[in-house]
Amino acid sequence: KNLADTIIWNDGPEYIFHHVLSLAVCWSALYPGFSIEYATFFFGISEISTGVLCILANFDPDHGVQGLGDAFPITKVVIGVVFVVLFIICRAVLWPILSYYYTRDALIVLKGKNPLLEGRRTVIKMHMGCLVGLSVLQASWLILIYFMAIKEFKAIGLI
């Protein structure tokens, strides 16, 4: 559904890329006994900021509720700050740490000779490739968030 919405609403190629990679990871995560230890973070905890972003989107003058941001400018800023803090914690701090441990564990597994591994090698390599792509997106979104925060703070006179 998110991929279809991204295409229909012309959100941009980076969001299509994000949803294609996420779909590939979700599909391959269904492979029995694969990366369960990391699924809680990458499919759950890292998405906490997305929930707040969905609330913040209502204040967008073009795509949200018309006039909501003007009627409640401080609320918009507070929700924006909460989003930024959660994004930094989940995506700029925890994401690289968990990515390091996932990659370390995946490389150890790929070096193994266990016959059960044979069906999983491709899935592990695909997950590692998707992780690289999604990590690049996290970094690019962090830069975008920085510039948008500066713009919003200037608009309400905090900078």
Side-chain angles (χ1 to χ4, degrees):
K1 170 86 169 90
N2 286 340
L3 178 59
D5 287 346
T6 297
I7 294 167
I8 291 168
W9 295 102
N10 197 24
D11 288 340
E14 68 276 14
Y15 295 100
I16 293 171
F17 182 62
H18 165 75
H19 287 113
V20 168
L21 289 178
S22 297
L23 184 62
V25 170
C26 289
W27 175 77
S28 62
L30 295 173
Y31 200 93
F34 180 69
S35 297
I36 299 304
E37 301 80 12
Y38 295 97
T40 302
F41 174 76
F42 288 111
F43 292 131
I45 296 170
S46 71
E47 293 296 327
I48 290 172
S49 62
T50 303
V52 178
L53 179 60
C54 290
I55 296 168
L56 183 60
N58 290 296
F59 292 86
D60 185 83
D62 298 322
H63 304 291
V65 177
Q66 291 295 322
L68 189 62
D70 294 332
F72 301 99
I74 301 301
T75 303
K76 177 183 175 182
V77 170
V78 169
I79 294 170
V81 168
V82 169
F83 164 70
V84 169
V85 168
L86 288 173
F87 189 94
I88 290 170
I89 291 169
C90 295
R91 308 282 181 117
V93 175
L94 294 176
W95 185 282
I97 293 168
L98 271 286
S99 294
Y100 165 78
Y101 285 109
Y102 173 80
T103 302
R104 183 195 66 179
D105 290 350
L107 290 172
I108 290 168
V109 168
L110 287 172
K111 290 179 185 175
K113 305 280 189 233
N114 189 324
L116 295 174
L117 180 61
E118 290 314 311
R120 293 178 169 91
R121 286 187 191 279
T122 302
V123 174
I124 293 169
K125 290 176 184 176
M126 186 183 78
H127 267 221
M128 290 174 67
C130 289
L131 181 59
V132 169
L134 290 168
S135 296
V136 168
L137 285 172
Q138 304 309 316
S140 67
W141 286 332
L142 183 61
I143 293 166
L144 177 66
I145 289 167
Y146 171 78
F147 286 112
M148 289 181 76
I150 296 297
K151 178 183 164 192
E152 291 294 328
F153 285 146
K154 283 182 180 179
I156 61 166
L158 290 177
I159 295 180

